[in-house]
Amino acid sequence: MTIKPRFCVTLLALALAGAPLAGAYAQSMAGGSGENPNANRTTLDPIPPEGGWDGLSNVLKAVQPGVDTRLQPSASQITTHIERLLNRGDNAEALAMIEKRQAEIKDQRGTDVQLMFQHARALAALDRKAEAIDIYTEMTTRFPELPEPWNNLAALYASRGELEKAQDALQMALRADPGYAAARANLGDLQLLQALRTYKQAAGEGVPGMQDKAREVETMLKDKQRK
């Protein structure tokens, strides 16, 4: 008997699918001066309201052409903005921005690895798991030294009940970075899931005491879920 995948979703998929790639939070672009506090605003930022006397402001607005003085965002500012959208759950908006950015840079040389990773995260969050798995798998092939795609790939495998594939992916994450604590913790959770599945299989075959062991592990997993 196979384990119900809901435990995998709770302990792995939700925890891992939102894990940002290392270095995701890029520094803001330097610039601006004390005289113009909006000098380093980009088109990703809303236009600030004008201060001063409303009547004069309206007159000036009527006689002056509308000019957007905000700067075009840099690549790092775009990925930082996408990261914020993903972290607060605005996944559809993040995906739209990712796809727009991908169309803009499709003819450029090289690969925006961070954007690729965010694309998979957005798809997974929108329950388009097969597409997310395809992207993570491509990343693990092209960039096997990065532990995060392996880690998130494991989450998606676990959410589908493919525990052996999830274990292999987590072990590859740890091979890429032996100090990657998230992958090691997730491997521990995965081993509990595997133990639960094995105990339930043994109980189904009539092995004495296995049902009690299965309940113990199941209780442990539920306790971890509540924390």
Side-chain angles (χ1 to χ4, degrees):
M1 181 173 65
T2 58
I3 182 173
K4 293 182 180 179
R6 62 188 177 90
F7 292 109
C8 304
V9 172
T10 301
L11 296 177
L12 287 169
L14 295 182
L16 300 181
L21 188 63
Y25 296 97
Q27 293 293 315
S28 298
M29 183 176 65
S33 67
E35 296 179 357
N36 185 359
N38 299 321
N40 61 350
R41 285 183 176 272
T42 75
T43 53
L44 297 174
D45 300 308
I47 298 176
E50 296 291 341
W53 179 38
D54 289 342
L56 178 59
S57 175
N58 291 335
V59 170
L60 292 175
K61 187 182 296 184
V63 299
Q64 291 180 351
V67 177
D68 189 348
T69 59
R70 294 174 299 169
L71 303 174
Q72 289 300 313
S74 66
S76 63
Q77 286 174 317
I78 291 172
T79 53
T80 297
H81 186 74
I82 292 169
E83 193 71 27
R84 292 195 190 104
L85 293 175
L86 290 170
N87 289 340
R88 68 179 185 229
D90 294 332
N91 302 305
E93 184 179 351
L95 181 60
M97 181 171 287
I98 290 165
E99 291 175 341
K100 178 183 177 183
R101 178 62 178 164
Q102 287 175 329
E104 291 171 348
I105 64 174
K106 64 182 177 65
D107 295 326
Q108 295 181 11
R109 296 182 62 184
T111 300
D112 188 330
V113 179
Q114 181 66 51
L115 192 68
M116 190 177 185
F117 184 81
Q118 290 175 328
H119 191 193
R121 285 184 59 200
L123 290 170
L126 293 169
D127 205 30
R128 294 166 60 177
K129 294 180 181 178
E131 295 170 82
I133 285 174
D134 287 344
I135 294 175
Y136 283 137
T137 300
E138 181 183 354
M139 291 190 73
T140 60
T141 300
R142 296 176 60 189
F143 314 105
E145 72 280 4
L146 297 177
E148 295 88 351
W150 289 111
N151 191 57
N152 287 21
L153 182 60
L156 294 175
Y157 281 144
S159 73
R160 303 200 308 189
E162 299 178 55
L163 303 189
E164 286 73 21
K165 286 186 177 181
Q167 179 174 338
D168 290 343
L170 286 172
Q171 288 174 339
M172 290 301 296
L174 290 169
R175 182 178 298 180
D177 181 2
Y180 191 24
R184 195 167 299 282
N186 290 324
L187 183 58
D189 285 346
L190 182 65
Q191 289 167 343
L192 286 175
L193 293 170
Q194 291 172 318
L196 177 59
R197 183 178 63 180
T198 301
Y199 286 144
K200 285 189 172 183
Q201 288 173 339
E205 294 167 359
V207 179
M210 292 299 101
Q211 191 61 51
D212 289 340
K213 285 186 175 293
R215 278 195 291 265
E216 289 176 9
V217 175
E218 199 164 25
T219 299
M220 187 183 304
L221 289 168
K222 288 179 179 178
D223 287 344
K224 288 173 67 67
Q225 178 182 343
R226 285 193 289 267
K227 291 180 180 178

